[in-house]
Amino acid sequence: SQELEQSPQSLIVQEGKNLTINCTSSKTLYGLYWYKQKYGEGLIFLMMLQKGGEEKSHEKITAKLDEKKQQSSLHITASQPSHAGIYLCGADRGTDKLIFGTGTRLQVFP
Amino acid sequence: SQTIHQWPATLVQPVGSPLSLECTVEGTSNPNLYWYRQAAGRGLQLLFYSVGIGQISSEVPQNLSASRPQDRQFILSSKKLLLSDSGFYLCAWSVRWARSSTDTQYFGPGTRLTVL
């Protein structure tokens, strides 16, 4: 099984709807990174969470890291077609490396 | 500001042919550098990472190799490509700190490799 599980694997929502993507780790996280990827392109860094209970927002995207530092959620409010893409979480294990989840593919239709 | 470049953007190669993908970073010094592969339907798989010139760590056994001939240059190579080497290859960099935990990784635009 994956060290880092993302759910759902794919999501299709109507424009204007809210949605949540989850990222669950089997181990304690030193840090949790969220990235967005458009098909065929590189990853765009969204935000990073380090402290248990931490919450960060950027425009209409909010990410939280739970107190036990083993789960993170990414919430998009009033989704737009520009939010479409693949969302990936990456876990810092306290080394120089990140472990990535398998991604959540988001489609937003008008 | 820092930028990261990868080329080529796309590549179609026959099985058994050699491979060389290049990644360069501008605007920073002594970065950590990473090569990832993203196969269809899978997440990102870390292939190699480097904390300095000539220092390469391999994450998975395979027919690929990496080299870092200069501080801001990272090369992914193969002597003989396999069908399973097809995928989207991403290079990334991060600031190198004294502490062991990683910092934010910034990704290049990627190279799509198709092996026929």
Side-chain angles (χ1 to χ4, degrees):
Chain A
S1 64
Q2 289 280 340
E3 277 192 52
L4 213 56
E5 296 276 354
Q6 281 188 242
S7 63
Q9 290 185 347
S10 65
L11 200 52
I12 303 174
V13 300
Q14 188 174 27
E15 184 176 357
K17 297 294 186 184
N18 303 336
L19 62 105
T20 300
I21 298 169
N22 293 304
C23 176
T24 303
S25 171
S26 57
K27 302 177 183 178
T28 299
L29 300 165
Y30 287 87
L32 191 288
Y33 296 77
W34 281 103
Y35 288 87
K36 178 186 173 185
Q37 181 184 29
K38 294 206 169 182
Y39 179 74
E41 299 181 11
L43 277 65
I44 304 298
F45 170 70
L46 295 176
M47 54 193 86
M48 187 264 281
L49 305 163
Q50 278 189 307
K51 300 176 184 176
E54 187 175 10
E55 180 175 321
K56 287 186 178 178
S57 293
H58 175 68
E59 296 179 345
K60 293 185 178 179
I61 301 176
T62 300
K64 299 179 186 180
L65 183 62
D66 76 351
E67 290 290 344
K68 293 183 179 179
K69 296 174 69 175
Q70 285 195 264
Q71 187 173 41
S72 177
S73 61
L74 185 84
H75 184 78
I76 298 178
T77 304
S79 58
Q80 300 168 359
S82 61
H83 288 126
I86 300 171
Y87 289 81
L88 292 129
C89 60
D92 177 0
R93 293 284 188 229
T95 65
D96 284 317
K97 299 171 282 186
L98 291 180
I99 306 295
F100 282 91
T102 51
T104 296
R105 184 178 295 271
L106 171 65
Q107 295 174 263
V108 181
F109 64 93
Chain B
S1 64
Q2 301 86 12
T3 55
I4 179 169
H5 304 278
Q6 286 186 245
W7 63 88
T10 60
L11 194 58
V12 179
Q13 292 283 94
V15 169
S17 63
L19 173 74
S20 181
L21 302 181
E22 190 165 343
C23 170
T24 57
V25 181
E26 295 177 358
T28 187
S29 297
N30 304 314
N32 288 341
L33 295 171
Y34 308 83
W35 276 114
Y36 290 88
R37 176 169 58 203
Q38 188 177 34
R42 292 186 168 184
L44 284 174
Q45 180 185 36
L46 179 63
L47 302 175
F48 302 94
Y49 75 99
S50 170
V51 298
I53 295 174
Q55 300 178 60
I56 309 293
S57 295
S58 174
E59 290 297 298
V60 289
Q62 57 208 329
N63 68 319
L64 298 172
S65 62
S67 62
R68 186 170 176 173
Q70 300 178 42
D71 181 47
R72 290 169 291 176
Q73 185 184 31
F74 205 23
I75 297 173
L76 183 70
S77 305
S78 174
K79 292 182 179 178
K80 287 185 179 181
L81 283 168
L82 307 172
L83 285 173
S84 58
D85 290 325
S86 292
F88 192 52
Y89 287 83
L90 288 156
C91 180
W93 74 273
S94 69
V95 173
R96 189 191 315 165
W97 299 105
R99 62 185 171 90
S100 61
S101 60
T102 193
D103 205 327
T104 302
Q105 291 183 19
Y106 298 95
F107 286 78
T111 295
R112 183 159 300 282
L113 172 66
T114 303
V115 183
L116 302 175

